Amino acid sequence: MSSSEGLRQVVRNLADTFNDPKVRESSYFDFYDDSLVIHGFPPNLPTNREGFKQFIYLLWKAFPDIRIIFEDIIIEGNKVVCRYYLTGTHNGAFGELQSTGKKFKVNGMTEFSFSNAKIVERWNLVDMVSLKEQLTG
């Protein structure tokens, strides 16, 4: 297996783990190195692995059925860029927005940088305007 195919499999496994409520809390963060640096997340969070964990736990609590579906996976060297969409139901507080029970589907892109098969840096872009409109409209 080529190194790019290995990275492709890692991000597919990452999505499968994120999408499975039975294993995600015990396994999802194993994909990330302790030295993780994050970009594109709420500015009040630390830009390290702990800040990332805080945000992901917030997502899982607000959207217990959240799923990520990768539509494109592009690999160059140690970087993987994924275009995806997220789906779920708003069943808990998300920021200042209390549960609405509404379903959503939003687009996003993430760039992962890898070292020794672990993610060391993550850039995120998610259509938060569309998310807010779907949850409040």
Side-chain angles (χ1 to χ4, degrees):
M1 176 184 318
S2 72
S3 62
S4 63
E5 286 308 308
L7 291 178
R8 185 179 313 279
Q9 192 58 49
V10 169
V11 296
R12 285 184 176 143
N13 292 343
L14 175 140
D16 290 343
T17 303
F18 180 88
N19 293 341
D20 186 346
K22 294 182 180 120
V23 299
R24 65 185 180 196
E25 288 192 38
S26 64
S27 302
Y28 181 69
F29 299 106
D30 294 345
F31 292 94
Y32 295 88
D33 192 77
D34 289 340
S35 68
L36 177 68
V37 176
I38 59 171
H39 309 273
F41 290 85
N44 60 320
L45 292 175
T47 59
N48 58 20
R49 190 172 190 255
E50 187 54 40
F52 178 67
K53 286 174 80 171
Q54 289 173 30
F55 183 75
I56 296 300
Y57 280 120
L58 173 88
L59 279 183
W60 289 340
K61 186 173 181 183
F63 312 105
D65 63 344
I66 193 168
R67 293 184 50 80
I68 187 168
I69 308 300
F70 291 139
E71 296 189 293
D72 287 315
I73 300 172
I74 302 165
I75 302 168
E76 184 170 323
N78 73 326
K79 294 184 186 263
V80 178
V81 176
C82 300
R83 183 178 61 86
Y84 58 86
Y85 63 89
L86 296 165
T87 63
T89 310
H90 185 212
N91 287 328
F94 185 64
E96 299 197 8
L97 185 60
Q98 295 304 308
S99 173
T100 63
K102 293 184 177 182
K103 294 192 177 299
F104 72 90
K105 180 179 179 181
V106 295
N107 295 308
M109 294 185 78
T110 295
E111 177 186 314
F112 302 104
S113 293
F114 283 85
S115 178
N116 299 316
K118 295 271 191 172
I119 299 165
V120 294
E121 190 169 20
R122 179 174 174 155
W123 290 82
N124 238 49
L125 292 171
V126 174
D127 188 349
M128 297 303 285
V129 172
S130 177
L131 177 63
K132 186 175 180 183
E133 287 175 353
Q134 290 177 57
L135 298 181
T136 61

